[in-house]
Amino acid sequence: MVAPTLRRIHSPWTQTVDLGDELRAVWSWARRPRLMRRLLPELRQHLSGAPASTAYAFTLFVTWWTLRGVGDSVERRLIFSASTNLYNMQHNPIQVLVASAFWTQGQFPWVTIAEILVVMGFAERWLGTSRWILLFATGHIGATLLTVTAIDHAIDHHVIPVRVQYAADVGTSYGFTAVLAAMAFHFRGVVRALWAGVIVVFLGSALLIGPTFTDYGHMCAALIGLAIGFVASTFWRRIERLRTERDAISAAPTPASTNRLTVPRIPAAAADTGTNSVAAQPLSGADGGAEAALHHADDRFDDAGRDRAEHRHQ
């Protein structure tokens, strides 16, 4: 029996690329003539392949513009109501977990919007929209919960002042950091280790030099992204290895069986003699055919005159 093949599921976690080849391809594309004419179609294609990132960047622009149109007191109340601080997480956890990812503070977030459109757009085109949203949300929610738990523990042990539980904490950085760390598994070889190492060293340095609760949250988000990337890539590589082994077994030729029963053939000479052999008589029914076969005379054996002496009963 041929072994069934596994369902063809192609995972982006196993589609690794070489960073050097990618950079050379980009450089070759940039050196071609009429760069500005080709830039707009490429940008349109990039944004169309990352609809969630594009919509997210536009939402950040709208919320920032909303804050610019209200007074300072209203802005502070809006930011406080969406902050994932300890007080809000104890009273409205689901609301602030969702709302905090769609607000930014300060001046126009040029850098944040550019990062979402370029880096997160690239990650969404690699992972797919649903996987990108799930990874971003996991990093944002997971790092927030770990940070709030650490703040609660630190306040109980009088390590940080009580006013930290009312601090403003909104933005996209936790989810962005998780996706950025998981992108290390899109590359192969030394680049993967360097990508992950630079992120961990940079965030670890910030945590050691001037530690804040947001630095702790960024480190947690990076570790979450690395853990998700490692587990997902390991799992799907194992699935593809099993699928390859099943395909190899299915493609191998099946050896002929040596225990098959062969049906004896009737010689052509015997078929032309016209003898009334039992094997040549059709059976009309299950009982009638058997009875006819038992009472039918066989010329070769039932004729006493033609039997040999040594075959007769003594």
Side-chain angles (χ1 to χ4, degrees), residues 270-308:
D272 296 334
T273 56
T275 57
N276 295 326
S277 175
V278 176
Q281 299 296 328
L283 300 179
S284 59
D287 296 331
E291 184 178 358
L294 291 174
H295 293 84
H296 195 280
D298 193 333
D299 295 338
R300 291 175 295 176
F301 299 102
D302 292 347
D303 190 353
R306 296 168 58 182
D307 285 345
R308 293 184 181 182

Side-chain angles (χ1 to χ4, degrees), residues 41-55 117 120-130 132:
E42 289 292 335
L43 180 61
R44 187 185 303 113
Q45 182 180 1
H46 173 75
L47 295 180
S48 63
S53 300
T54 305
L117 291 177
M120 295 296 98
F122 177 81
E124 183 181 355
R125 296 183 64 180
W126 165 47
L127 292 173
T129 300
S130 58
W132 178 82

Side-chain angles (χ1 to χ4, degrees), residues 54-268:
T54 305
Y56 188 37
F58 179 75
T59 304
L60 292 176
F61 170 75
V62 171
T63 54
W64 175 85
W65 191 268
T66 302
L67 292 179
R68 302 284 73 78
V70 298
D72 293 339
S73 60
V74 177
E75 178 181 353
R76 285 193 296 269
R77 285 198 297 269
L78 288 175
I79 293 297
F80 176 79
S81 64
S83 295
T84 52
N85 52 39
L86 180 59
Y87 178 82
N88 286 339
M89 289 294 294
Q90 290 175 343
H91 294 81
N92 300 304
I94 298 179
Q95 177 183 343
V96 296
L97 280 174
V98 176
S100 61
F102 295 94
W103 294 91
T104 58
Q105 291 180 284
Q107 300 299 321
F108 183 74
W110 291 100
V111 177
T112 302
I113 291 179
E115 290 173 346
I116 295 296
L117 291 177
V118 177
V119 182
M120 295 296 98
F122 177 81
E124 183 181 355
R125 296 183 64 180
W126 165 47
L127 292 173
T129 300
S130 58
R131 294 185 185 90
W132 178 82
I133 293 176
L134 182 60
L135 177 59
F136 190 94
T138 303
H140 174 74
I141 296 174
T144 300
L145 294 177
L146 292 174
T147 302
V148 171
T149 303
I151 291 175
D152 187 22
H153 180 77
I155 291 177
D156 289 342
H157 290 76
H158 307 286
V159 177
I160 59 177
V162 180
R163 67 175 183 273
V164 177
Q165 66 177 329
Y166 303 104
D169 186 15
V170 295
T172 65
S173 58
Y174 291 167
F176 180 89
T177 303
V179 176
L180 187 66
M183 286 176 60
F185 293 88
H186 184 48
F187 306 102
R188 66 174 72 105
V190 182
V191 176
R192 176 183 298 182
L194 288 177
W195 187 287
V198 168
I199 292 176
V200 172
V201 170
F202 177 78
L203 296 178
S205 300
L207 191 60
L208 293 175
I209 295 174
T212 61
F213 68 89
T214 55
D215 294 331
Y216 175 80
H218 290 149
M219 177 59 72
C220 292
L223 295 179
I224 289 173
L226 292 175
I228 292 176
F230 175 77
V231 172
S233 60
T234 303
F235 172 78
W236 284 108
R237 288 186 186 281
R238 181 173 179 82
I239 291 295
E240 291 197 354
R241 183 164 56 251
L242 292 175
R243 184 172 58 192
T244 303
E245 293 176 357
R246 291 288 186 89
D247 291 345
I249 295 175
S250 301
T254 305
S257 177
T258 58
N259 296 325
R260 293 181 179 178
L261 297 177
T262 59
V263 179
R265 297 182 179 179
I266 301 175

